[in-house]
Amino acid sequence: MYLGLDLGTSGVKALLIDAGQKVIGSGHGSLDVSRPHPGWSEQDPAHWIECCETAIAELQASHPRELAAVKGIGLSGQMHGATLLDASDKVLRPCILWNDTRSHVEAAALDADPRFRKLTGNIVFPGFTAPKLAWVKNNEPAIFAKVARVLLPKDFLRLWLTGEHISEMSDSAGTSWLDVGKRRWSSELLAATSLDERQMPSLTEGTAKAGALRGELASKWGIAAGIPVAGGAGDNAASACGMGTVRAGHAFVSLGTSGVLFAANASYLPNPESAVHTFCHALPATWHQMGVILSATDSLNWLSEITGRSAGDLTGELGDTLEAPTGVTFLPYLSGERTPHNDSAIRGSFTGLAHQSSRAALTQAVLEGVAFAFRDSLEALKTAGTTLTRVTAIGGGSRSRYWLKAIATALQVPVDLPADGDFGAAFGAARLGLIAATGADPLAVCTAPATDVTIDPDAGLGGAFADAYQRYRALYPAIRSVTA
């Protein structure tokens, strides 16, 4: 058996798989986010451990014999969080999370230093780790002076599991301190935030052994002591391992609260100007790119709240037959946008409204607007040298066939819908645990799920969608000019 632990923002999931990668069982523990000030988002790392204990206790109660047979553990987690420890590994303050924006001034200052984009291949976003440390130095100097180690969230769990300060490439690529092309810490970038490599964890690949389970925990859980804990991955890279998106040209589109267009690459292809994320993948000598949109299903949920109809009812009104765009255009910038604009101030809009614009027309425009936002990410990936010929759809929004048809037609690529199963970050983490424990070929383990159905672009509506996309593209600068 192999155990995957995924530390998300809202909870920890523990997933157990067997040697044939069949899911045996899972456990879960819930987390809350503290928001003591506007723009702040924090968690107490001690709660991560409590939550992990809860998830594993659930597995221990339901599958004690299978848990006892675990031979490897893999880790996945929310990225970018700043977990600050003193010389005794005591937590100095609550972890500043990925969606915390307090360090926007520090992020802009670091991003203005050309070394950051050159070495990391990315814009320095406020959510990344380095600007958070710059904020702590500027606003909590007594705490900054005590920082002996900076760990990412999943790597704090590793410290608890193994006693080791270790991270891996995919998660570390989101700190703004990693030389992403060379897969190593940059002493130059660390010095720019008054830190050095001694305050960073050591680095390994996500498929490698990165510590061994401590005897105390092994005894409590009925697991053999000393089993390997894999390097693991940041959440999106772990999901990609679960989806089998590990070879060049393979890609998935995630229709969750936010949206991600994720492409695996065999080489380092940065394009920071487009706000595409270029990170190391969890597999050696592999990278990935992500276009990120901030409000995917969130846009439909917003319309649902406004209209008093459920998201399922709204999409149900459209049926399954794709229609030509009506002339109503929706910009899904409800909380700003990441790719390709890197604009936290822009806000959403409906344009082209008329007396005959029904609720169904507004729903259709919302689905099309999100599809066109993915098209923006696709175009940004193209400018970085990545061409996609098909994508696999995951996430809650993929239950709408109408939406998938709109995305396929907007992107002009087929969209594959996988057969039912759990292919998320915890599954990817378990796969990495299997690889670290057995030495199996990562490409043989991280295979793609079976495809249930393929949705092709609607050839008859390609021209109408192309015209609607051009309207969509023209609206951003027009709306931006009147957005504070």
Side-chain angles (χ1 to χ4, degrees):
M1 299 290 162
Y2 302 92
L3 180 65
L5 298 174
D6 175 43
L7 168 57
T9 313
S10 60
V12 172
K13 182 174 183 177
L15 186 76
L16 199 61
I17 66 171
D18 66 15
Q21 302 191 42
K22 178 185 176 183
V23 174
I24 302 301
S26 65
H28 187 268
S30 297
L31 286 166
D32 294 318
V33 174
S34 172
R35 304 184 189 277
H37 303 286
W40 288 35
S41 180
E42 300 182 336
Q43 284 177 333
D44 180 353
H47 294 165
W48 300 338
I49 292 174
E50 294 169 10
C51 199
C52 193
E53 292 265 35
T54 298
I56 292 176
E58 191 176 318
L59 263 182
Q60 194 172 19
S62 60
H63 297 85
R65 287 187 299 173
E66 291 86 350
L67 186 65
V70 165
K71 300 300 181 190
I73 299 173
L75 299 176
S76 163
Q78 49 170 299
M79 296 178 68
H80 314 303
T83 314
L84 311 184
L85 309 180
D86 68 11
S88 302
D89 286 338
K90 179 184 175 183
V91 175
L92 291 168
R93 67 169 330 284
C95 176
I96 306 175
L97 301 188
W98 62 275
N99 54 353
D100 187 293
T101 58
R102 76 184 74 175
S103 63
H104 60 93
V105 172
E106 289 81 4
L110 295 180
D111 193 51
D113 181 338
R115 295 176 296 176
F116 278 86
R117 291 194 184 191
K118 179 181 178 182
L119 292 172
T120 71
N122 292 279
I123 291 170
V124 182
F125 292 100
F128 285 11
T129 320
K132 293 169 184 167
L133 269 291
W135 183 93
V136 172
K137 181 186 177 185
N138 291 340
N139 295 275
E140 299 174 346
I143 289 176
F144 187 83
K146 296 178 183 177
V147 174
R149 197 83 62 169
V150 182
L151 293 181
L152 294 159
K154 80 170 192 320
D155 298 320
F156 181 78
L157 277 188
R158 185 196 318 280
L159 175 62
W160 167 63
L161 290 167
T162 71
E164 301 277 1
H165 304 96
I166 303 174
S167 190
E168 47 71 47
M169 305 303 175
S170 70
D171 215 356
S172 298
T175 62
S176 291
W177 289 314
L178 194 76
D179 183 328
V180 174
K182 295 182 179 178
R183 302 172 87 92
R184 68 188 186 194
W185 294 121
S186 167
S187 57
E188 198 175 350
L189 299 183
L190 286 165
T193 50
S194 304
L195 297 167
D196 63 46
E197 200 165 339
R198 291 172 296 179
Q199 293 163 289
M200 296 295 111
S202 61
L203 288 172
T204 189
E205 295 290 347
T207 54
K209 179 180 176 180
L213 184 64
R214 293 190 296 116
E216 175 191 348
L217 294 177
S219 177
K220 181 190 294 188
W221 299 334
I223 300 175
I227 63 171
V229 176
D235 49 8
N236 281 301
S239 292
C241 291
M243 285 294 300
T245 309
V246 294
R247 297 177 186 268
H250 289 194
F252 67 78
V253 57
S254 175
L255 265 172
T257 302
S258 59
V260 173
L261 183 61
F262 182 110
N265 305 107
S267 57
Y268 174 53
L269 299 170
N271 184 28
E273 291 71 24
S274 67
V276 165
H277 294 341
T278 303
F279 292 156
C280 302
H281 210 323
L283 275 59
T286 309
W287 286 259
H288 69 81
Q289 295 168 316
M290 290 189 298
V292 178
I293 65 175
L294 296 179
S295 298
T297 60
D298 242 11
S299 294
L300 185 60
N301 291 337
W302 168 81
L303 185 65
S304 169
E305 189 173 325
I306 294 295
T307 60
R309 298 295 183 98
S310 72
D313 285 345
L314 291 175
T315 56
E317 284 185 332
L318 301 180
D320 285 337
T321 302
L322 189 65
E323 300 287 345
T326 64
V328 179
T329 303
F330 175 72
L331 297 185
Y333 306 147
L334 301 180
S335 57
E337 191 55 294
R338 185 71 61 82
T339 307
H341 303 304
N342 184 30
D343 190 339
S344 60
I346 189 67
R347 288 296 179 265
S349 71
F350 277 112
T351 59
L353 295 173
H355 287 294
Q356 62 268 33
S357 298
S358 63
R359 182 175 61 225
L362 300 188
T363 302
Q364 183 180 339
V366 166
L367 304 191
E368 290 166 359
V370 173
F372 292 145
F374 281 122
R375 173 68 182 271
D376 273 350
S377 288
L378 181 72
E379 296 301 324
L381 290 175
K382 284 180 183 177
T383 64
T386 297
T387 301
L388 304 180
T389 57
R390 65 191 314 114
V391 297
T392 299
I394 60 172
S398 65
R399 288 192 290 268
S400 167
R401 291 295 173 92
Y402 190 100
W403 210 344
L404 295 183
K405 289 176 183 178
I407 290 171
T409 305
L411 300 185
Q412 285 295 293
V413 298
V415 175
D416 295 325
L417 195 61
D420 286 343
D422 191 330
F423 311 114
F427 183 64
R431 281 180 155 181
L432 293 171
L434 185 158
I435 294 165
T438 65
D441 178 357
L443 295 179
V445 172
C446 297
T447 54
T451 295
D452 180 49
V453 64
T454 295
I455 297 168
D456 291 309
D458 189 315
L461 294 177
F465 266 73
D467 291 343
Y469 176 61
Q470 292 309 313
R471 287 198 300 274
Y472 174 92
R473 290 281 295 167
L475 279 171
Y476 170 76
I479 297 296
R480 186 66 183 90
S481 68
V482 293
T483 301

